[in-house]
Amino acid sequence: MKIAILGTRGVPANYGGFETCAEEISVELARRGHEVLVYGRKGNYNDQENYYKGVRIYHIPRLKGKVTETFSNTLLSMFHVLAQKVDIIYVMNTANSPICIIPWLLGKRVVINVDGLEWRRKKWGWFGRNYYQFAERLSTIFSDRVISDSMGIRDYYLERYKTDSTFIAYGAQIEQSTRPEILQEYGLEPGSYFFVASRLEPENNADLTVKAFEKVKTDKQLVIAGGANYKSSFIKNLEKTTDKRIRFLGPVYKEGHIKELHCHCYAYVHGNEVGGTNPALLKALGYGNTVLALDVPFNAEVIKDAGIMYQRSSEDLAEKMQFLVDNPYVRSTFSTKAINRILEDYTWTKITDEYEQFFKDVMAGAFKKGVNEKELIRTS
């Protein structure tokens, strides 16, 4: 098959979940003999490189800006890909669904990964929230099939838009520390800190984590890695804490640094409540972290019994953190469970297998013909 992937910043991945997914599945599909094109944003990587591990990469311009960047880059990428005679156009991000009308009108095979419920993010004003809800509806019209990254998102599209979708999660690698000396750059010791690695946006609840940690009796630190790609009063308010045990590292992009910060933390705190299967949560499990996760359906679906769920209150999170501080022996149990959880359902090999079969089904016109998905799986 010849498959084009649009709507990400490009590969190699150095930013978020879409990029990691694009890299992992494109490289593996190319290794299996498929021809894969990945479109990214000019200026994000070395624009002189045309191939990455067997994947053809294109660096396409974009209009910089929180609102314009994704849409403009995907639109220009779409015009380019239509001249490439690909079998399947795979578009990531609900925001790009209006663009899918172009290949849809031309009779091209196009699928879209809708990710989480972007309109619930508090950074968006009235226009942004309504645009994303409008784009959700269009994604069910201008595509051969919607991909949902969690069963919770699949249920949402069934209930709200009466549209079934194909559930394919993100994946993670099982990784261990290889450069422990990196911790010295941050003045940290192994096991001496709780860790958060996330975009610092309100719906990821870093403020709740800060308030909770302020209540915990420990000499450990709370280390927060992340920022926002826009000016944020939320971050300014976070940094007003007077607790000297809390440290803000800002965005951490140096190769291998996030991995080492994960691998040596005492526990990882995951406060995201909006998305579907969250790549940051999967990474934490893949590193063998003891995970404290906000109790929302998307997180519970991933965690099962491999971590500790907390309610949306600083008191409850503080109680769970204090429990881990007072009972360090439980960490080894959760570390083993975390790794087994990834091996059970979220290896990139398994995820790529699912994508490969899905693309074959799209090629066969199964979804256009209205074949029942359960029957399709049974007969594949």
Side-chain angles (χ1 to χ4, degrees), residues 170-176 262-263 265 267-270 277-293 298-309 333-346:
Y170 294 118
Q173 305 285 1
I174 305 298
E175 297 188 75
Q176 297 178 332
H262 266 288
C263 288
C265 72
Y268 181 79
V269 184
H270 183 79
T277 300
N278 190 275
L281 178 56
L282 294 177
K283 277 187 177 183
L285 295 172
Y287 293 132
N289 288 169
T290 298
V291 175
L292 290 154
F298 308 123
N299 296 338
E301 177 185 325
V302 172
I303 289 289
K304 290 190 175 179
D305 67 343
I308 298 173
M309 309 299 292
T333 300
F334 281 115
S335 178
T336 300
K337 286 184 175 181
I339 291 171
N340 287 338
R341 185 72 188 102
I342 296 300
L343 293 174
E344 178 185 8
D345 280 330
Y346 297 106

Side-chain angles (χ1 to χ4, degrees), residues 2 16 66 70-71 86 97 155 181 202 220 292-293 312 339:
K2 187 173 182 179
K66 185 173 76 171
T70 296
F71 191 90
V86 301
S97 63
D155 292 342
E181 67 277 3
K220 298 186 185 300
L292 290 154
R312 200 180 185 284
I339 291 171

